[in-house]
Amino acid sequence: MESGDLERERLDLLQAALDHINQGFSVFDAQLQLVAWNRQLFEMLEFPLHLARRGAPLSAFLEVNAARGEYGPGDVAELVARRVERAALFEPHSFERVRPDGQVVLVTGAPLPSGGFVTTYTDITREREQQANLERTVAERTRQLRQSEDWLRLVTDNVPALVAYVGPGPVYRFANRRYAKWFDQTVESMVGRPVADIIGPALYPELEPHIMRAFEGKAVSYEYTRTRAGGRVAHMRSTLIPDRTLDGRTLGCFVLSLDVTEHKRSEAALAQARRMEAVGQLSGGLAHDFNNLLTIIIGNVLALRRKADAPAMPDLSGHIDPILQAAQRGADLTRRLLAFARGEASDARPVRLSSLLSGMEGLLSGSLPRGLTLSVTVGERDPVARVDPAELENALVNLVLNARDASPDGGNISLVLDETEIAAADAEPLGLVPGPYARIRVKDTGHGMSEDVRRQAFDPFFSTKPFGTGSGLGLPTVYGFARRAGGCATVESRPGHGTTVALFLPLSRDEDAAGDPHECADAPRGAGELILLVEDEPDVADVVREQLCALGYAVLVTGEADDALDLVTQIADIRAVLSDIVMPGQSSGLALAEAIGNRRPDLPIALMSGYREGTASEAPPAWPVLAKPFTTGLLARTMSEILSS
């Protein structure tokens, strides 16, 4: 893909994302020319669509507004010139503009480091109408019911919000039960006391400017946080509405507050999910390149090992085998990281847990700080459980990282694997079927949990970490994995005595999990069949060609999809095609396979890939896919299967 095409594709992708924002959005550069925008900008402010282009001057937008009276009476050119001059200062600005049709738009702009500025436009008409209606309603009811406070309290105490009235001082004159409880007070203990005494010296300096603005006759909205009893941080959104007389005097202000803690947590969880999606996409590209390199390494090492049987090099195998094992472990590590980052669909199969845990030790040790050690202990038996190994590894990563965060002063984290028999009396409370289970315990020597925290540990979005540093989805994800596998998860903890999380997984008697199915001594060989190899990476192509030749096949190699189509059309002796999925330009191995199928439906095809494209919801390819890096044994089996089908 050319760099210009790639840049346009990225800009188009960014434009599509901006169009989903429910606010108007624009970016002007240092020359006051339009760089970016979204559809909502033109729909909300009714700009002509011919201005929706990069390079459109700011003055053109201002002329449209001035011509239809957005800026009031006056000469259009003068109105535009003043605003262009002001914009050229590139100063932060935020103001509300009431349009001729009554629409209220909040305009907020900020300068950019390289010049220019970004501006958002928010339609707050309904909010202002609601505030005005609320102000009129509350003022009217206050005047009418000033002598009927009992009735007013009956109403406000049943409203799912925090309501108060602040008089000069500022002093609380009224509060409903919810408001009083929020500040650990009673209604009786609040009324008549200064706001500073109730809010406290830590929070009052933050809220005082908003209260003063309300007493100046301005409606104010703001958010603040407060640490509740037990250390839980809560988030509140408040609106202060001045209580004004007909002659313009401010008697006090009404306070309407809503707890938005859960809303904030949901936003943080969504942001975390989006970050993980981006990590998954990045991991896919890295895995593709890394697996191509491993394909070259493994292929050449396998070729060297075949030659090591010669009498002249009797000791060469002792050096080759460690290289091959290290490369294969690198490929396995790439698959683990990719599965963890992309959250791939469940692929449950019999897994030998001792091997999986032993492999996890190297993956996790590098994530632990100095002073914190990790140990893995497996019992005498080698239990097999039917699980998705990627999901199990993901769960163990979550548990070990949680244990790390709970051990800031160092200590030990241990993974212990054994088998246990769960009797009927113990199975029912756990929601399990009585019988034998594999048990994986993750223990730490950290600060532990209180009983209240322990009971909520598996609740979604519950987290004891500071807001924004934890999603509250780690332990619920672990619990969900265990349940999908037919087991469960438990937590044992006491403050100062560390934490133990146990996973119970039903034992599987399927022993097919043992061994490596990809290598075998009697790998099927070819009989001189002509194979077309399509691979754009020359080094990878050389390795795969040599593997095919060693298996007894004749090989043609090309790196272009068009050349491959011409070859299969012109050379009838080609018996099969082996193609990489990722091809240069706009083509792909999948598209090539479909095109070959249209020309020669009887020609067998297999594909190669350094990573999985698409999502779990998409249908798998109709052809066998070799995951890079692959061994000669797996290549032999695949070619034998497609040629015999």
Side-chain angles (χ1 to χ4, degrees):
M1 181 180 294
E2 297 294 333
S3 61
D5 293 337
L6 181 59
E7 185 64 22
R8 283 192 294 273
E9 181 178 332
R10 290 175 175 170
L11 290 173
D12 291 339
L13 180 62
L14 175 60
Q15 187 67 60
L18 292 175
D19 285 342
H20 283 281
I21 300 175
N22 60 4
Q23 296 173 290
F25 176 87
S26 67
V27 178
F28 286 86
D29 61 18
Q31 287 73 44
L32 298 181
Q33 294 181 342
L34 186 64
V35 176
W37 67 93
N38 68 349
R39 183 177 62 247
Q40 186 68 9
L41 171 68
F42 286 82
E43 292 179 354
M44 180 191 302
L45 301 182
E46 304 173 61
F47 286 125
L49 293 179
H50 69 81
L51 294 179
R53 59 183 175 82
R54 297 183 179 94
L58 173 64
S59 59
F61 292 83
L62 299 177
E63 287 174 3
V64 172
N65 280 343
R68 59 192 180 191
E70 298 273 350
Y71 306 137
D75 181 71
V76 170
E78 291 181 2
L79 293 172
V80 171
R82 283 203 304 269
R83 283 161 174 77
V84 169
E85 183 178 354
R86 189 182 309 160
L89 298 176
F90 301 110
E91 295 177 343
H93 54 276
S94 179
F95 59 87
E96 295 179 12
R97 193 171 83 221
V98 181
R99 304 186 65 207
D101 61 357
Q103 182 188 31
V104 183
V105 178
L106 174 62
V107 182
T108 303
L112 298 173
S114 58
F117 56 86
V118 56
T119 307
T120 58
Y121 307 81
T122 307
D123 187 344
I124 60 173
T125 307
R126 178 173 295 182
E127 180 180 338
R128 289 294 172 261
E129 289 175 351
Q130 290 175 343
Q131 287 182 347
N133 290 338
L134 179 60
E135 182 177 359
R136 288 193 296 269
T137 300
V138 173
E140 178 70 13
R141 294 300 175 91
T142 302
R143 284 189 293 270
Q144 292 178 357
L145 303 174
R146 196 173 296 275
Q147 304 302 318
S148 305
E149 188 172 313
D150 290 342
W151 187 90
L152 178 61
R153 183 167 303 285
L154 178 65
V155 174
T156 57
D157 282 348
N158 287 279
V159 172
L162 281 63
V163 180
Y165 182 87
V166 177
V171 173
Y172 282 111
R173 299 301 181 191
F174 175 86
N176 69 348
R177 284 198 305 267
R178 292 177 186 269
Y179 194 100
K181 185 177 180 181
W182 170 253
F183 288 107
D184 303 316
Q185 300 284 332
T186 65
V187 172
E188 294 75 16
S189 67
M190 286 190 64
V191 175
R193 292 181 60 186
V195 174
D197 290 353
I198 300 298
I199 294 180
L203 183 58
Y204 183 71
E206 178 184 345
L207 304 188
E208 184 181 17
H210 303 298
I211 297 173
M212 293 301 102
R213 287 189 63 197
F215 273 92
E216 292 171 1
K218 301 174 182 177
V220 182
S221 294
Y222 58 91
E223 294 184 3
Y224 67 92
T225 60
R226 179 170 176 265
T227 302
R228 304 298 304 276
R232 184 183 177 207
V233 176
H235 300 260
M236 187 65 67
R237 180 176 297 152
S238 294
T239 299
L240 305 183
I241 302 172
D243 178 17
R244 307 185 67 184
T245 63
L246 294 177
D247 60 0
R249 291 179 297 113
T250 301
L251 302 177
C253 65
F254 299 95
V255 183
L256 178 66
S257 300
L258 297 173
D259 189 339
V260 294
T261 304
E262 292 306 316
H263 177 68
K264 290 285 187 180
R265 294 188 185 279
S266 298
E267 286 182 342
L270 178 60
Q272 174 71 5
R274 288 172 175 167
R275 284 194 295 271
M276 287 304 298
E277 180 182 1
V279 170
Q281 294 172 352
L282 176 63
S283 299
L286 292 175
H288 172 259
D289 294 339
F290 191 55
N291 284 335
N292 268 346
L293 296 175
L294 289 173
T295 298
I296 297 170
I297 294 171
I298 291 176
N300 280 287
V301 171
L302 288 173
L304 188 59
R305 189 168 68 176
R306 288 193 295 271
K307 298 176 181 179
D309 295 332
M313 296 181 287
D315 299 327
L316 192 56
S317 293
H319 299 285
I320 292 175
D321 288 344
I323 299 174
L324 182 60
Q325 292 170 6
Q328 289 172 336
R329 283 164 59 190
D332 182 57
L333 178 62
T334 302
R335 283 192 291 270
R336 290 181 192 174
L337 292 174
L338 184 58
F340 170 67
R342 300 185 68 174
E344 294 177 348
S346 177
D347 183 19
R349 60 180 183 269
V351 174
R352 290 198 179 279
L353 300 180
S354 60
S355 300
L356 186 143
L357 261 67
S358 298
M360 290 291 292
E361 185 172 9
L363 176 66
L364 294 169
S365 294
S367 301
L368 302 180
R370 188 174 300 174
L372 187 61
T373 60
L374 174 69
S375 62
V376 176
T377 304
V378 298
E380 295 181 358
R381 298 183 180 180
D382 189 6
V384 175
R386 188 172 184 81
V387 296
D388 182 335
E391 284 193 349
L392 177 54
E393 290 171 347
N394 188 2
L396 294 177
V397 167
N398 263 313
L399 295 178
V400 171
L401 295 185
N402 276 353
R404 177 199 66 186
D405 296 340
S407 308
D409 300 323
N412 177 257
I413 301 173
S414 60
L415 273 68
V416 181
L417 169 66
D418 57 14
E419 292 186 16
T420 184
E421 185 78 20
I422 297 183
D426 298 324
E428 184 176 355
L430 297 175
L432 299 178
V433 177
Y437 284 80
R439 178 174 58 183
I440 303 174
R441 286 172 289 175
V442 180
K443 304 179 180 180
D444 66 64
T445 56
H447 49 61
M449 306 178 188
S450 67
E451 180 60 20
D452 182 56
V453 171
R454 189 196 67 79
R455 285 198 302 267
Q456 301 178 77
F458 291 130
D459 292 348
F461 304 120
F462 175 77
S463 177
T464 58
K465 297 178 182 178
F467 184 77
T469 62
S471 67
L473 294 174
L475 285 178
T477 299
V478 173
Y479 183 82
F481 153 73
R483 281 301 186 193
R484 285 193 299 275
C488 75
T490 63
V491 178
E492 296 179 4
S493 185
R494 284 193 301 156
H497 292 79
T499 299
T500 299
V501 179
L503 298 179
F504 294 88
L505 304 173
L507 287 181
S508 172
R509 299 308 177 189
D510 190 345
E511 297 299 322
D512 292 341
D516 183 357
H518 304 324
E519 280 294 344
C520 56
D522 56 346
R525 300 180 57 82
E529 296 92 337
L530 181 60
I531 308 298
L532 175 60
L533 173 62
V534 187
E535 170 60 66
D536 63 296
E537 291 284 346
D539 292 337
V540 177
D542 289 344
V543 168
V544 178
R545 179 188 57 77
E546 184 174 345
Q547 287 179 298
L548 289 170
C549 291
L551 289 171
Y553 298 103
V555 184
L556 282 176
V557 181
T558 180
E560 299 289 340
D562 292 340
D563 291 346
L565 278 174
D566 291 340
L567 288 170
V568 298
T569 303
Q570 298 169 9
I571 303 177
D573 290 338
I574 293 177
R575 293 288 309 281
V577 176
L578 177 61
S579 173
D580 192 14
I581 289 181
V582 178
M583 303 287 288
Q586 298 294 328
S587 60
S588 73
L590 296 173
L592 174 62
E594 291 180 356
I596 292 175
N598 292 333
R599 298 193 183 187
R600 290 183 59 178
D602 59 334
L603 188 62
I605 301 172
L607 301 173
M608 304 177 291
S609 177
Y611 66 96
R612 282 181 53 187
E613 294 185 305
T615 64
S617 62
E618 296 176 350
W623 307 274
V625 178
L626 284 164
K628 296 178 181 177
F630 47 80
T631 61
T632 302
L634 182 57
L635 176 63
R637 285 180 177 275
T638 302
M639 299 308 299
S640 176
E641 288 172 0
I642 66 172
L643 286 168
S644 62
S645 60

